[in-house]
Amino acid sequence: MPLNILVCIKQVPDPEQFDRITLDPATGSINRAGIPPVTNPVDRHAVEEALRIREASGGTVAVLTMGPPQARKCLEDALAMGADRGVLLCDMAFAGADTLATAAVLAAGIRSAGDFDLVLCGNESVDGATGQVPAQLAEALGWPRVTYARKIEIAKEAATAFVEREIEEGFLRVEARLPAVIAVVKRINRYRLPTIFGILEAGKKEIIEVGCAACECAGLVAEAMGLAGSPTRVAGVFQSHRKRHVEMIGGDPKEAARMLIHRLRELDAL
């Protein structure tokens, strides 16, 4: 049975340049100026998994992101991988959102974009790394959710997903009735790279822009969006200053180890 799948993706600062990230002490937000944006790495695996399910079962794959106009680029990358259409949630009313307000807007965007049997997303983003949005999104949609998914199998009747969920030293095999939200980890697959043909085809595919008005039509009140709808705020930003002292201990390894233990005890470190 064909499935209509939607994948939530996010544009983040390039992890290779995280050493250039600074925090704005006035707003408590990340200063991304000069750092190139990329698609959140694990979200690419979510797109890949959606494409594999479509190849096995038929159906469609849509990709959705919330962000400024330049976030359109990560949608274009997903379309070049093979997704069918994109949705950009873009409005100044969404700015300053914490994870709860983000999930609320994503849920409204999903409702406005159509009827879906399955929503996939990366387990967490590399910039926030909270891992909260998938569960909050499922709650906002009123759907079951599975996180830390390393393998997904869709039943033939397409009403159930069987998921291997990572836990410490093993995994749980769980069953989820569709529609559901499933958050994947990188281990689930190796994602494909866009081909030249895929890049050319992406330019012909639809990307629709959804704003505050459409989310309100989907049942979300303005007070639940952006900073106004965020129950958590950054109270302050400070820089930690640490003084460090280095002592070098050389000589015979056994004697050096004995001296190290003696010195650590003197410093109350053991």
Side-chain angles (χ1 to χ4, degrees), residues 5-20:
I5 306 170
L6 182 136
V7 187
C8 292
I9 62 178
K10 183 182 181 183
Q11 193 175 66
V12 298
D14 186 351
E16 298 294 326
Q17 301 191 37
F18 269 11
D19 58 328
R20 296 173 55 196

Side-chain angles (χ1 to χ4, degrees), residues 186-206:
K186 289 183 178 180
R187 191 175 289 107
I188 196 168
N189 57 44
R190 292 184 64 181
Y191 65 80
R192 69 195 70 185
L193 296 175
T195 63
I196 293 297
F197 177 76
I199 294 171
L200 293 174
E201 283 297 303
K204 304 174 185 177
K205 296 176 180 178
E206 178 187 34

Side-chain angles (χ1 to χ4, degrees), residues 10-227:
K10 183 182 181 183
Q11 193 175 66
V12 298
D14 186 351
E16 298 294 326
Q17 301 191 37
F18 269 11
D19 58 328
R20 296 173 55 196
I21 287 179
T22 59
L23 291 175
D24 186 331
T27 63
S29 60
I30 295 175
N31 182 5
R32 306 164 188 252
I35 303 176
V38 298
T39 301
N40 184 49
V42 72
D43 293 352
R44 292 182 181 272
H45 295 273
V47 174
E48 173 64 28
E49 194 63 20
L51 296 175
R52 293 187 184 195
I53 294 172
R54 185 190 65 186
E55 289 164 359
S57 305
T60 63
V61 174
V63 286
L64 176 147
T65 193
M66 184 180 89
Q70 57 265 34
R72 183 184 182 95
K73 177 63 169 60
C74 68
L75 295 175
E76 293 171 347
D77 291 343
L79 295 178
M81 287 177 66
D84 299 299
R85 63 188 178 99
V87 180
L88 174 61
L89 299 174
C90 184
D91 199 300
M92 282 303 297
F94 305 153
D98 69 356
T99 59
L100 187 65
T102 295
V105 172
L106 291 176
I110 290 169
R111 292 191 191 98
S112 71
D115 295 323
F116 297 96
D117 305 294
L118 177 63
V119 169
L120 297 179
C121 49
N123 203 70
E124 61 186 29
S125 62
V126 294
D127 53 354
T130 64
Q132 295 172 350
V133 171
Q136 292 171 331
L137 174 59
E139 183 70 17
L141 290 170
W143 295 0
R145 59 72 169 77
V146 183
T147 55
Y148 293 96
R150 73 174 197 176
K151 184 178 181 180
I152 301 172
E153 297 175 358
I154 304 296
K156 288 184 179 180
E157 71 277 10
T160 305
F162 298 97
V163 184
E164 288 185 7
R165 183 179 186 273
E166 284 190 345
I167 57 173
E168 291 184 8
E169 301 182 7
F171 66 91
L172 292 174
R173 184 172 170 82
V174 299
E175 178 180 334
R177 297 288 294 178
L178 301 182
V181 175
I182 301 178
V184 308
V185 295
K186 289 183 178 180
R187 191 175 289 107
I188 196 168
N189 57 44
R190 292 184 64 181
Y191 65 80
R192 69 195 70 185
L193 296 175
T195 63
I196 293 297
F197 177 76
I199 294 171
L200 293 174
E201 283 297 303
K204 304 174 185 177
K205 296 176 180 178
E206 178 187 34
I207 295 179
I208 63 170
E209 189 168 317
V210 174
C212 177
C215 289
E216 289 178 332
C217 289
L220 184 64
V221 297
E223 292 75 15
M225 304 178 197
L227 192 61

